[in-house]
Amino acid sequence: MAEQARGWSGDLLDLDAYLARTGYEGERAPTLAALRGLQRAHVTSIPFENVNALLGKPVALDLETVQERLVRGGRGGYCYEHVVLFAAALERLGFEFTPLIGRVTLGSDKILPATHALIAVRPADDDRLWLCDVGFGAGPLEPIEIADGVEVDLDGWRFRMVRGETTLGVDQWWLHQYGQDGWAHRHTFTLTPQYPIDYAVGSHFVSTHSRSPFTARLFVQKFTATHHHQLDATTWRTFRPDGSATERKIEPAELGRVLADEFGITVEAAELAHLEQGLASA
């Protein structure tokens, strides 16, 4: 059950700048309609990227640092940064919510660390509990009700929510996504509340550990209603709601243009040089 979250620095958020960055022009109230609009605006405007982690730079989660990068700096971030920013906006607008932690599966049975940040939200005008997954880099465009068997089609992108096995009285939830090979579970989570310190611990692992994929190679994503662009090192894939996809390799020298033009990410010249060198030597 969602609770009134605390400690997410909503009072420090430059709300006007955040809404301008995302292009959201709807009502500023804790309603379901606003929640849907806020998530759609966020996931289609702020990209996913791991540049700082790859370059060995600290990934600070204090709100001022996060909004300086994601709102004012023309950059993106990974799930913890996205959720910290989104939680601040929800707190500022008066939503009742609980930040969560999930375990990415991507259809595999392999047990991976629980390092994916999510939010459960209960709007003021709706009794249902909604999952906001704004930091995965691949949608969904809008919140999904946390209820067993719920299936949604959001501009052709299909998702469903499934309640899994219950362990010691704790429900396990699975978010499934429909893709080229049919339905596959994307991640699993419980409704155990998380706090900023919990995210700090998870983010430290993701951004520094030698076994984290984000310290090993460049990974960037840009999601819209019609396309999901994904850059994995030099492999650039574009997925569409109908399941079709294209793929090509980019040259290291193309990286700056591709990041700016296709993913909306501007990196400093020195950072770009390091990234290009890493791609060339991979």
Side-chain angles (χ1 to χ4, degrees):
M1 180 178 294
E3 61 181 21
Q4 185 61 44
R6 51 202 174 108
W8 296 94
S9 302
D11 58 323
L12 301 180
L13 177 68
D14 185 340
L15 184 61
D16 289 339
Y18 168 73
L19 297 181
R21 169 78 161 107
T22 63
Y24 176 78
E25 297 179 342
E27 62 178 342
R28 300 188 183 190
T31 65
L32 178 57
L35 185 66
R36 285 173 167 153
L38 286 164
Q39 176 160 329
R40 180 178 285 261
H42 185 111
V43 300
T44 58
S45 60
I46 306 180
F48 180 106
E49 50 111 327
N50 68 324
V51 170
N52 272 21
L54 183 62
L55 296 179
K57 294 186 174 183
V59 181
L61 296 183
D62 64 281
L63 182 64
E64 184 51 42
T65 299
V66 170
Q67 66 180 341
E68 184 62 35
R69 278 170 46 79
L70 275 64
V71 175
R72 306 185 189 108
R75 293 285 298 272
Y78 57 38
C79 66
Y80 291 108
E81 296 167 281
H82 280 272
V83 170
V84 163
L85 182 60
F86 198 70
L90 294 180
E91 190 174 72
R92 181 70 169 273
L93 294 172
F95 281 94
E96 180 185 0
F97 66 95
T98 299
L100 308 171
I101 200 78
R103 191 183 307 274
V104 175
T105 58
L106 295 178
S108 172
D109 293 329
K110 183 179 180 181
I111 302 297
L112 296 173
T115 55
H116 181 52
L118 305 151
I119 306 182
V121 185
R122 196 184 306 279
D125 63 342
D126 192 283
D127 290 336
R128 293 169 292 178
L129 193 61
W130 297 84
L131 181 71
C132 291
D133 187 5
V134 298
F136 197 81
L141 287 165
E142 296 179 6
I144 298 174
E145 183 187 357
I146 302 176
D148 193 23
V150 165
E151 186 173 325
V152 298
D153 184 323
L154 300 168
D155 292 15
W157 303 101
R158 296 171 60 190
F159 298 87
R160 71 182 179 197
M161 188 72 65
V162 177
R163 180 191 283 116
E165 295 182 5
T166 299
T167 303
L168 297 177
V170 178
D171 284 339
Q172 190 96 356
W173 293 94
W174 296 82
L175 181 65
H176 293 240
Q177 183 170 1
Y178 195 86
Q180 291 176 294
D181 300 318
W183 287 106
H185 47 82
R186 194 168 90 170
H187 50 255
T188 179
F189 63 94
T190 68
L191 297 180
T192 304
Q194 303 293 307
Y195 300 96
I197 187 61
D198 301 311
Y199 281 5
V201 172
S203 180
H204 178 71
F205 174 89
V206 169
S207 64
T208 65
H209 200 282
S210 60
R211 293 181 61 183
S212 168
F214 292 164
T215 65
R217 68 184 190 277
L218 181 66
F219 194 67
V220 183
Q221 299 183 91
K222 175 70 175 180
F223 185 73
T224 72
T226 58
H227 294 81
H228 169 215
H229 292 292
Q230 181 189 89
L231 184 63
D232 189 344
T234 59
T235 302
W236 177 11
R237 300 181 181 92
T238 300
F239 305 92
R240 297 173 184 83
D242 63 4
S244 63
T246 58
E247 177 179 317
R248 80 172 180 90
K249 295 286 187 179
I250 69 166
E251 297 297 326
E254 294 182 83
L255 181 61
R257 181 193 63 78
V258 170
L259 287 178
D261 295 348
E262 305 296 339
F263 292 88
I265 296 172
T266 302
V267 296
E268 298 176 359
E271 293 178 328
L272 180 60
H274 280 292
L275 295 173
E276 291 176 341
Q277 184 178 15
L279 293 181
S281 61

